Amino acid sequence: MAVNDHFCTISGYSREELIGETHRVINSGRHSTEFWAEMWRTIASGKPWSGTICNRDRDGREYWLDSIIAPFIGADGKVVRYVSIRHDVTASKLAADQIAAERSRLQAILDAEPECVKVVSADGTLEMMNRAGLAMLEAASEEEVRSRGLRAFVVEEHWPIFQSIHERAMRGETAEGLFLVQGLRGTRLWLETRAVPLRDADGAIRRELAVTRDVTERVRATEALAAGERRIRLVLDTALDAVVSMDVDGVVTDWNQQAERTFGWTRAEAIGKSMGDLIIPPELRQAHEQGLARFVRTRESRVLGRRIEVPAVRRDGARITVELAIIAVNAALGANEAMTFTAFVRNITDRKLSEQRLLESEARFRTLADSAPMLIWTSGVDARCDYFNKPWLEFTGRTMEQELGDGWAEGVHPEDLDRCVATYMAAFQARRPFSMAYRLRRHDGVYRLIQDSGAPRLAADGTFGGFVGACADITELRDAQQRAEAASRAKSEFLANMSHEIRTPLTAILGFADLLREDGDIRLGPEQRIQTIDTIRNAGQHLLTVINDILDLSKIEAGKMTVERVETPLVDILREVENLCRPRAAGKGVQLATHLATPVPACIQSDPTRLRQILMNLAGNASKFTEQGTITITAGVDNAAATPRLHIDVEDTGIGMTLEQAAQVFSTFTQADASTTRKFGGTGLGLAICRRLANLMGGDVVLRRTEPGKGSCFRLSLDLELSPGTAMVAGLDAHVEAAPAETPSSTISLMGRILLAEDGPDNQRLIAFHLRKAGASVDIADNGKIALEKIIAAESAGAPYDLLLSDMQMPEMDGYELARTLRSRGSSLAIIALTAHAMPEDRPRCLDAGCDDFATKPIEKTRLLAMCAERLAGVVST
């Protein structure tokens, strides 16, 4: 080691003592092995090294040197020596260490401070922030805050507040403020800060010092308190009652919105005013003041904690009645100046008026109820009866006390009681009206049938108040109804018997008339014979039309007439009606034609039988009352209405009618006048039946026009419903559909054994003749009993019958009992019912008894033979 004098001075060693020594002699031991290893690696590589080294002098004192060590390279390129140039920096190093120590102590103090302490330069850059501040911002270091900038942490809308605090501090003011920040992890805190200016030695302000505390909990508590106060205010202002507070001197301290509405004073006007001057009537103010003073003095009051009704006055001077309850607030403190009173006030003027009106209404109700000719009762919300009128009590002979609650039930017939109570309770639970009949014991012990109708009682506001009921003694009405029902049954039985008595001989009349025409070559006989046969047949057909009309009307009036809604060939029916009515019209020289006013659907949804019946009747009437001219049937569709309508007009040039006659045209059993009846005949039922059938089909028949001597026009109108896929037809000639040819009776052949059960000899001969002529083997039984014996005997002989034709009205055993007996024995013999009864219930009655098919008298030969052939499965075409 070679050293200069200055090095010797610093180290305290002489040159002689240092020469030959290594650096170890002055090594202070402060630096680590790595420190020296790094230095030697650097200079050994031929590069200079610089740094600060701590040595120890001869006396053991440490000193610091700022050193530069440079290697000297020899000619061979190797390091031959090192030269170190060092400056003593001990004084500055100690000063810096002292400053660092002071700073460390200061930082420790600041980091121990629970509040944020920061120093911010004039341009807003963070220079220093303690650990509490970093925690508030959820930052790891000052550098992290500095790199982001303080603005990144302050919530945008609060940045002006933060900026204002800084600017005021930089102007030399002490500034305070409250703002919201958001930390790096999203936490939001309310911070309250106080900033002061920091001056340099020359007095210039170049930075601020700010102390900030987290006041989030305080702000939240304040907000919660404010929210609570707002909620309380909201509750008070939305309360249905007026809420008024006053102090011990009677001065108003609070006044909610309902109080404004109730008394007419605003809150601003009421607070600070005397309660007596605002709402207490003048005559009661002295008593109010005395009562208030007495309570303050004795703590005793006759009104506190009670709900009372008192008069009050509004701002406009109007008197009202209020219900109030007063409580003393803070009375327990015992200090008069801390005591306040709060009153909950409700305007009950309307309620009192309603109560008065209710009392008056109840009085009127009881007066009316006691005067009513009916038994009236009411019940409450508990379903128990709470009132019976005077007629009820007079009817039962009991007192009000005996009937109240469930006492009324003692008068109900035991057999009716459970049903009566169940009906009432079900209606009560459902809050719906009810009506029921039951027997109630009269004061004389006789049970009378009453009709009880009850309904819920509702107050003006819609609340349920129980039930009210009215009862009528319907014993006589029931007896009259039973008599009417008996009369109706008698009428039905009469009509059925009449139908039987007329149809049975008509079967023989029409049948044998047909036989006379078919027997031999009628053309070879006298012309008078043909006319006689036709007269017999026409008279029979007329009688059949009359009985059919009467039965149709009876069905309609009994509500037993039904109509179908099936696919109906409209155009075919129009053509059929024309073809059937043209011969009669042509016989008089009257032209009959059918036209389409608009295109019509070929098929509609309707009742084809009833549609044909109506049109035949209208066209038949036109033919009957028209002696010359024309008859026109016109069909068309009206699409102008909301629902398309089908219109069919039947117009004639016949005798027409007067207005008086037209007014009666749809009445039953009525024609224009007696002369019309004598001349043209008829029952006067046809048009009445047409209209009622049209009504059942959803339409109507009306008289469009009529004039004596000029004819009439009737219109059938129906709602139009097209059949799926039907075509529209513009003219009858454009739609010609071949009708299936009707199989003549002469082409039907029957094979099999038939038993005919019929008690009428004429019908026996007629029906048996047609069956045998068709090829069947026929046996005859005079009644059901004989028929049963023949069937059993045939089965025993191994030659059973193939078909049974049975009249349903026979002596000994009728057709119904015969069919039921056969079915009960397990017989599968085909049975066709023959009956002169043609009421609507007759067909299902026959089928229910066990019959397979049904035919009415007079018998249609072709239809009967076809029906038998179907059951025998033996139709043979010849």
Side-chain angles (χ1 to χ4, degrees), residues 832-854:
I832 296 178
L834 303 178
T835 178
H837 287 177
M839 298 298 283
E841 64 272 13
D842 290 323
R843 179 181 179 85
R845 183 182 174 195
C846 293
L847 299 181
D848 290 344
C851 297
D852 298 293
D853 218 331
F854 174 91

Side-chain angles (χ1 to χ4, degrees), residues 249-293:
D249 297 321
V251 175
V252 175
T253 58
D254 202 358
W255 187 270
N256 74 341
Q257 290 181 5
Q258 187 59 41
E260 293 181 338
R261 290 188 285 269
T262 301
F263 299 109
W265 299 93
T266 67
R267 187 169 187 267
E269 292 171 332
I271 290 179
K273 299 284 181 59
S274 169
M275 181 77 79
D277 295 339
L278 291 176
I279 66 173
I280 298 177
E283 67 273 14
L284 298 179
R285 289 174 186 169
Q286 183 177 358
H288 162 72
E289 294 171 355
Q290 291 174 349
L292 184 62

Side-chain angles (χ1 to χ4, degrees), residues 115-137:
E115 297 174 351
C116 170
V117 180
K118 68 177 182 292
V119 176
V120 180
S121 65
D123 63 359
T125 301
L126 177 68
E127 293 189 356
M128 188 278 295
M129 176 178 283
N130 69 343
R131 190 173 299 164
L134 295 175
M136 291 177 186
L137 301 182

Side-chain angles (χ1 to χ4, degrees), residues 3 67 106 110 113 117 129 138 228 255 257 361 367 417 485 493 540 550 583 587 589 636 657 667 700 742 859-860:
V3 299
S67 303
L106 176 61
L110 293 177
E113 172 62 42
V117 180
M129 176 178 283
E138 298 177 328
W255 187 270
Q257 290 181 5
S361 175
T367 300
L417 181 59
E485 291 173 353
E493 291 172 2
I550 293 173
M657 290 176 284
S667 300
D700 199 4
E742 195 172 303
I859 298 300
E860 295 180 21

Side-chain angles (χ1 to χ4, degrees), residues 51 138 276 281 322 343 369 377 497 541 544 567 653 716 740 752 785 809:
E138 298 177 328
V322 298
W377 56 269
N497 289 332
Q541 287 291 351
L544 185 60
E567 184 167 299
T653 58
L716 166 64
K785 184 177 180 182
Q809 293 79 35

Side-chain angles (χ1 to χ4, degrees), residues 601-873:
C603 292
I604 62 174
Q605 294 294 308
S606 186
D607 187 322
T609 301
R610 298 307 174 186
L611 177 60
R612 185 182 295 105
Q613 181 179 351
I614 294 172
L615 293 179
M616 283 295 298
N617 194 294
L618 296 178
N621 274 353
S623 298
K624 181 165 63 173
F625 296 114
T626 304
E627 297 296 332
Q628 60 183 2
T630 60
I631 299 172
T632 305
I633 302 173
T634 305
V637 176
D638 180 8
N639 289 306
T643 301
R645 301 275 289 180
L646 171 66
H647 296 313
I648 302 177
D649 293 343
V650 179
E651 187 172 8
D652 64 63
T653 58
I655 63 174
M657 290 176 284
T658 65
L659 293 178
E660 292 75 11
Q661 292 169 338
Q664 301 294 321
V665 73
F666 290 106
S667 300
T668 54
F669 301 104
T670 302
Q671 286 194 344
D673 53 35
S675 63
T676 302
T677 305
R678 287 193 300 271
K679 181 176 181 180
F680 296 100
T683 62
L685 293 176
L687 289 174
I689 292 172
C690 286
R691 168 168 277 184
R692 299 192 190 187
L693 287 176
N695 294 157
L696 289 173
M697 296 165 67
D700 199 4
V701 172
V702 297
L703 176 61
R704 294 193 69 195
R705 66 163 188 83
T706 187
E707 187 175 349
K710 294 186 178 180
S712 304
C713 179
F714 287 87
R715 168 171 284 185
L716 166 64
S717 296
L718 297 171
D719 285 340
L720 182 62
E721 181 182 348
L722 278 64
S723 292
T726 189
M728 298 299 290
V729 178
L732 293 180
D733 295 337
H735 181 81
V736 178
E737 184 174 307
E742 195 172 303
T743 304
S745 60
S746 60
T747 64
I748 300 177
S749 178
L750 303 180
M751 293 185 298
R753 297 188 67 207
I754 298 177
L755 176 64
L756 172 62
E758 166 66 57
D759 62 326
D762 293 338
N763 285 332
Q764 287 177 357
R765 290 195 301 272
L766 177 65
I767 298 172
F769 174 81
H770 290 310
L771 296 175
R772 287 167 179 155
K773 186 177 180 180
S777 172
V778 181
D779 289 340
I780 297 174
D782 291 335
N783 58 51
K785 184 177 180 182
I786 296 173
L788 181 60
E789 293 170 353
K790 284 179 174 288
I791 292 170
I792 295 173
E795 290 175 351
S796 300
Y801 290 104
D802 301 304
L803 177 63
L804 168 65
L805 297 182
S806 176
D807 183 34
M808 304 311 286
Q809 293 79 35
M810 295 182 294
E812 297 291 334
M813 176 186 287
D814 62 21
Y816 300 104
E817 186 178 353
L818 173 59
R820 282 193 291 268
T821 302
L822 290 173
R823 297 302 182 225
S824 66
R825 288 170 49 86
S827 174
S828 60
L829 177 64
I831 305 174
I832 296 178
L834 303 178
T835 178
H837 287 177
M839 298 298 283
E841 64 272 13
D842 290 323
R843 179 181 179 85
R845 183 182 174 195
C846 293
L847 299 181
D848 290 344
C851 297
D852 298 293
D853 218 331
F854 174 91
T856 59
K857 297 178 181 180
I859 298 300
E860 295 180 21
K861 178 181 63 174
T862 302
R863 182 171 180 271
L864 177 63
L865 293 179
M867 193 180 297
C868 292
E870 180 181 355
R871 293 297 167 185
L872 292 172

